[in-house]
């Protein structure tokens, strides 16, 4: 059995809770952990990536691509691009996955290029496991290009994000203009349309900001 086969993929917050339960955590412990995570999401500094706005997208140093031939930053020029780092054990990423599919469906006909970037948290010191990434891509029904940034601590995520001030998360989203200049940054965790949950109201606000940025840049 490959090491990646032992990693429990998270596909929703309910799935995340179930995984914690299977690890022997009590309901009270699970509630407290989830509350801490949502608290961090609620209080996250949305301006945390302002230092990256106006910076040209650095070169990609990805290990492999799924759903696409290898792409370069130069290949994106002439189109608005949304690039989101994500992983398979993160409930924030799982809850944001439908939003990425929706943005791709809504805006790709108008020129948006959506790219997902897988960066492992669990098993990050294991050898690259393309089959594990492919399973996660299929589970989330991603049809847009997905790059693998396995050694993200020293490679692409490092050069794009893990520089300068402390970052609130690694699941960052960048929106690039048609000249491949970073024009918008969502500093991480979760976003999606309103789902009726007051606990996730901030996610809908963030999604609205992302849509507004896309609309603005497409129109330029």
């Amino acid at each position: 059995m490959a090491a990646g086969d032992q990693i429990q993929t998270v596909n929703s917050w309910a799935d995340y809770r179930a995984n914690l339960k299977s690890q022997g955590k009590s309901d009270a412990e699970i509630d407290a952990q989830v509350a801490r995570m949502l608290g961090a999401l609620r209080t996250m500094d949305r301006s945390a990536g302002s230092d990256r706005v106006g910076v040209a997208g650095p070169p990609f140093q990805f290990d492999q691509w799924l759903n696409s031939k290898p792409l370069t930053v130069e290949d994106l020029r002439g189109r608005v691009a949304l690039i989101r780092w994500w992983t398979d054990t993160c409930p924030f990423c799982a809850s944001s996955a439908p939003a990425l599919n929706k943005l791709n469906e809504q805006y790709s006909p108008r020129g948006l290029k959506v790219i997902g970037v897988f960066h492992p948290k669990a098993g990050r010191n294991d050898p690259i496991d393309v089959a594990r990434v492919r399973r996660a891509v299929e589970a989330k029904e991603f049809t847009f290009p997905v790059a693998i940034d396995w050694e993200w601590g020293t490679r692409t995520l490092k050069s794009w994000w893990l520089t300068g001030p402390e970052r609130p998360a690694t699941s960052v989203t960048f929106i690039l203009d048609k000249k491949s200049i970073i024009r918008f940054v969502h500093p991480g965790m979760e976003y999606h349309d309103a789902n009726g949950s007051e606990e996730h109201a901030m996610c809908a606000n963030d999604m609205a900001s992302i849509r507004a940025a896309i609309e603005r840049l497409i129109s330029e």
Side-chain angles (χ1 to χ4, degrees):
M1 178 182 293
D5 294 339
Q6 302 176 35
I7 293 172
Q8 294 180 304
T9 300
V10 171
N11 293 312
S12 65
W13 277 101
D15 200 20
Y16 181 69
R17 286 177 173 274
N19 285 351
L20 293 178
K21 190 76 170 179
S22 71
Q23 295 170 20
K25 290 186 179 292
S26 68
D27 289 340
E29 290 173 325
I30 294 170
D31 288 345
Q33 182 164 331
V34 170
R36 286 193 299 271
M37 295 171 72
L38 293 178
L41 173 61
R42 190 176 302 108
T43 60
M44 180 179 67
D45 179 6
R46 264 65 182 174
S47 68
S50 60
D51 59 300
R52 302 302 290 163
V53 173
V55 175
F60 292 151
Q61 303 175 67
F62 297 132
D63 300 281
Q64 194 161 329
W65 289 78
L66 301 177
N67 297 339
S68 173
K69 66 178 184 180
L71 299 173
T72 67
V73 173
E74 289 73 21
D75 291 331
L76 304 180
R77 288 179 182 160
R79 302 183 69 174
V80 176
L82 182 152
I83 305 174
R84 158 81 188 223
W85 269 258
W86 64 281
T87 193
D88 53 353
T89 54
C90 168
F92 296 122
C93 299
S95 292
S96 300
L100 295 178
N101 286 329
K102 186 173 291 187
L103 292 170
N104 183 56
E105 179 181 358
Q106 180 178 1
Y107 289 109
S108 63
R110 297 173 57 188
L112 178 70
K113 187 72 169 181
V114 175
I115 297 174
V117 183
F118 182 91
H119 70 302
K121 290 295 189 69
R124 62 179 291 191
N125 295 320
D126 296 335
I128 185 171
D129 188 342
V130 177
R132 169 186 166 187
V133 181
R134 185 174 286 111
R135 287 194 298 271
V137 168
E138 292 173 351
K140 290 170 174 51
E141 300 181 342
F142 289 162
T143 58
F144 48 78
V146 173
I148 302 177
D149 193 14
W150 199 266
E151 297 180 12
W152 53 270
T154 58
R155 301 192 72 184
T156 308
L157 185 59
K158 172 71 173 179
S159 62
W160 279 68
W161 184 232
L162 301 179
T163 57
E166 183 177 354
R167 305 303 188 185
T170 59
S171 51
V172 61
T173 296
F174 296 96
I175 302 180
L176 281 59
D177 66 15
K178 295 172 187 176
K179 297 180 180 179
S180 295
I181 303 298
I182 298 170
R183 296 284 296 278
F184 179 94
V185 179
H186 182 272
M189 302 194 215
E190 180 176 338
Y191 50 79
H192 48 72
D193 288 324
N195 60 8
S197 169
E198 292 185 7
E199 288 184 320
H200 293 266
M202 59 283 189
C203 301
N205 293 336
D206 290 354
M207 183 72 164
S209 297
I210 289 168
R211 275 206 173 93
I214 293 169
E215 290 280 0
R216 182 177 71 252
L217 294 175
I218 286 177
S219 68
E220 287 185 352

